[in-house]
Amino acid sequence: QVQLEESGGGTVQAGDSLRLSCSASGRIYSSAVMAWFRQRPGKEREFVALIRWHSGSLLYADSVKGRSTISKNNAENTVYLQMNSLKPEDTGIYYCARGHHYSTSQSEYYTWGQGTQVTVAS
């Protein structure tokens, strides 16, 4: 079991970009799936993107597909979320999570960070 910590959030204008980072305290085993979720104001937590640690297989939510890229650095035990063309609707708390199943459901993830706030102003 690893501990996760997100960083890189902030306040930006619509159309700007942000790069979120999720750092693991220890090794991320090859079987792991790393994912980003977010919770927007007045909404339930939702899936954003995931990456399989070993294969690099990717999956994106429709809401961010084409604007976001999830990537990883194996040596640094870090996963990233590059977000471009940000919209006010992207505002929310972004969470990093680790699991062992290729799933968009938060119930399949057992390790979570504390979240990083992203605010997009119009």
Side-chain angles (χ1 to χ4, degrees):
Q1 195 88 343
V2 300
Q3 293 182 339
L4 306 175
E5 183 173 354
E6 305 93 339
S7 62
T11 300
V12 299
Q13 295 181 347
D16 286 352
S17 298
L18 280 175
R19 182 179 174 87
L20 307 183
S21 298
C22 172
S23 179
S25 61
R27 288 182 301 165
I28 300 177
Y29 289 92
S30 61
S31 61
V33 175
M34 300 294 296
W36 288 95
F37 291 78
R38 70 184 180 187
Q39 187 163 11
R40 297 183 287 168
K43 305 288 186 178
E44 296 183 350
R45 188 155 52 186
E46 63 185 307
F47 168 78
V48 176
L50 66 79
I51 184 168
R52 277 178 169 165
W53 201 249
H54 176 67
S55 69
S57 297
L58 310 172
L59 185 66
Y60 298 96
D62 289 341
S63 58
V64 302
K65 189 175 183 179
R67 300 186 295 120
S68 300
T69 302
I70 187 171
S71 60
K72 60 185 176 70
N73 186 318
N74 294 38
E76 300 294 331
N77 297 307
T78 303
V79 62
Y80 305 96
L81 182 67
Q82 175 71 39
M83 300 188 293
N84 302 320
S85 302
L86 285 164
K87 306 174 181 179
E89 64 194 69
D90 293 317
T91 293
I93 304 174
Y94 284 70
Y95 298 91
C96 179
R98 177 182 184 266
H100 276 164
H101 300 281
Y102 192 89
S103 175
T104 62
S105 175
Q106 61 178 301
S107 65
E108 298 291 339
Y109 295 85
Y110 52 84
T111 305
W112 294 81
Q114 294 300 305
T116 184
Q117 176 71 41
V118 172
T119 302
V120 184
S122 178

